[in-house]
Amino acid sequence: FPIILKSDVISTVEFNQTGEFLATGDKGGRVVIFQREPQGEYNVYSTFQSHEPEFDYLKSLEIEEKINKIRWLPPHNPAHFLLTTNDKTVKLWKVSERDKRAEGYNLRDEEGRLKDLSTITTLQVPVLRPMDLLVEASPRRVFANAHAYHINSISVNSDCETYLSADDLRINLWHLNITDRSFNIVDLKPENMEDLSEVITVAEFHPHHCHLLAFSSSTGTTRLCDMRARALCDQHAKLFEEAVDPSRRSFFSEIVSSVSDVKFSHSGRYLLTRDYLTVKVWDLNMENKPLETYQVHDYLRTKLCSLYESDCIFDKFECAWNGTDSVIMTGAYNNYFRMFDRASLRDVTLEASREVCKRRAVLQPRRVCVGKKRKETDVSVDSLDFRKKILHTAWHPKENIIAIAASNNLYIFQDRMAPNGHHNTPEIQSAPPK
């Protein structure tokens, strides 16, 4: 295996609202932004260091520079704004272009040094001269010192003025222009920490209603909260939870039911949740059971013991909707990722790796078998590589273009046969890994 630096491993992937830009963050605290060219390919647009490693001297705790989440703000001018967060600090970045520079200052020379005022005998009007395009990233706000635990989620509100940040026990509401205070809207911390029964795993605002937010927990529940009801949203408006058959409970039941990701559909009608073995679609009007349940890798049920011993059972897989909410996607092991068509109920397993992803190649479906192989291309469950995993995925908001992060590689695929937004073929056109 080639040596992969931990700092180069991609930790988050996010398209902006138009899909023209794609941002990735890594464990080294860097953010890389790709821009889509007119011919359709994504090329590097800007790279900057978002977070640096820090040390909390009061708690004798190292704070990693790893980027946990990136969220784009809706565009309002030619500049682009995005939120990035590590375990403790959220930052608002402005990314802008500059292709002109001012020349002919009266008080400074071309190097920027102050002139001797006694040498200035005339006044001139500074002029703008063309220059090579320069993309600048500058921090505009730093939101710090509000979380005692590690931040796992940030989400921009549909009012475009506020956002939330969530850690293991609390969710805070921020105004984008105010950095020195936030409002605590969810607090699960018990008076006695020995009574702690669950932690917050992910939180997200509703895409259209600024008063609604959803957050999931390690017990497998997802709560919908309405901020109009009360300032502290400890009392949920709805609770989405699937009853578990007591006869099927095991030591691993609660671990595998922990929700690792939640996404509202673009329409706002549905919730998509991912736990260790399944991805579920919930109707906001039906709390008692999911509308749809898709098995991601059911063949791992017999291997939960070894997965627990290797800590793989605690991996946090993300999920994504396509632009029309008709297809869902999530990752798996062996660099596989899964797609489920909600209308036809068809699903496909594809692989994102250097070995199979040749430029402009068509990906072939993969199949994992538990028993004897039926085809030469089948892969036995015993030969899966659990070090190779697809945790982070993103789907273009309008087109069938997906971004897959596999370790330190970013793969961008495009569906050839489904311009209408329905995934009716496993043939996906690949762009080169970044």
Side-chain angles (χ1 to χ4, degrees), residues 194-290:
E194 292 182 359
D195 298 330
L196 182 66
S197 60
E198 63 178 335
V199 295
I200 298 168
T201 54
V202 61
E204 181 168 277
F205 269 122
H206 191 280
H208 309 305
H209 301 305
C210 61
H211 55 275
L212 293 179
L213 66 110
F215 71 92
S216 296
S217 80
S218 56
T219 59
T221 62
T222 300
R223 297 174 174 88
L224 186 71
C225 298
D226 190 338
M227 293 191 294
R228 296 173 301 180
R230 50 188 298 173
L232 191 63
C233 298
D234 287 348
Q235 299 297 320
H236 52 265
K238 294 191 175 185
L239 177 69
F240 302 92
E241 182 178 21
E242 186 174 22
V244 179
D245 185 353
S247 64
R248 297 190 61 185
R249 280 194 174 277
S250 70
F251 172 77
F252 304 109
S253 293
E254 186 169 322
I255 300 175
V256 299
S257 66
S258 175
V259 177
S260 58
D261 197 17
V262 60
K263 294 279 172 51
F264 279 100
S265 63
H266 295 84
S267 67
R269 171 70 185 271
Y270 304 103
L271 270 174
L272 182 64
T273 63
R274 170 70 205 263
D275 56 40
Y276 189 67
L277 294 174
T278 66
V279 61
K280 298 172 182 176
V281 177
W282 300 81
D283 190 321
L284 292 188
N285 297 324
M286 186 171 70
E287 305 169 54
N288 61 334
K289 64 178 181 179

Side-chain angles (χ1 to χ4, degrees), residues 164-223:
L164 66 78
S165 59
D167 64 26
D168 294 338
L169 295 178
R170 296 187 177 101
I171 300 177
N172 292 334
L173 179 68
W174 300 82
H175 193 285
L176 286 165
N177 291 326
I178 302 173
T179 61
D180 59 354
R181 64 183 181 273
S182 61
F183 295 98
N184 178 230
I185 54 176
V186 174
D187 189 349
L188 297 188
K189 185 179 180 181
E191 291 186 12
N192 185 352
M193 286 296 283
E194 292 182 359
D195 298 330
L196 182 66
S197 60
E198 63 178 335
V199 295
I200 298 168
T201 54
V202 61
E204 181 168 277
F205 269 122
H206 191 280
H208 309 305
H209 301 305
C210 61
H211 55 275
L212 293 179
L213 66 110
F215 71 92
S216 296
S217 80
S218 56
T219 59
T221 62
T222 300
R223 297 174 174 88

Side-chain angles (χ1 to χ4, degrees), residues 30-43:
R30 294 180 297 267
V31 172
V32 181
I33 299 177
F34 299 87
Q35 182 181 28
R36 193 180 186 191
E37 303 294 341
Q39 62 271 27
E41 293 190 357
Y42 284 84
N43 291 313

Side-chain angles (χ1 to χ4, degrees), residues 277 295-304 307 332-334 336 338 349 367-370 379-382 384 386:
L277 294 174
Q295 301 295 331
V296 179
H297 36 211
D298 199 47
Y299 45 77
L300 295 183
R301 287 189 185 275
T302 59
K303 297 191 170 295
L304 293 180
L307 291 167
Y333 291 108
N334 212 56
Y336 289 169
R338 304 267 283 140
T349 301
R367 181 178 174 274
V368 178
C369 59
V370 178
V379 177
S380 169
V381 66
D382 295 318
L384 293 176
F386 293 101

Side-chain angles (χ1 to χ4, degrees), residues 48 72 97 155 169 199 240 278 300 303 313 336 364 367 371 378 384 398 417 422:
F48 60 92
W72 293 86
E97 297 180 356
S155 179
L169 295 178
V199 295
F240 302 92
T278 66
L300 295 183
K303 297 191 170 295
I313 200 170
Y336 289 169
Q364 299 302 318
R367 181 178 174 274
D378 287 356
L384 293 176
K398 299 175 182 177
M417 304 295 289
H422 291 281

Side-chain angles (χ1 to χ4, degrees), residues 5 7 31 37 58 67 131 144 222 257 329 354 376 427:
L5 295 176
S7 60
V31 172
E37 303 294 341
L58 290 177
I67 306 298
M131 60 177 281
T222 300
S257 66
M329 171 179 64
R354 286 183 176 272
E376 189 66 31
E427 295 182 352

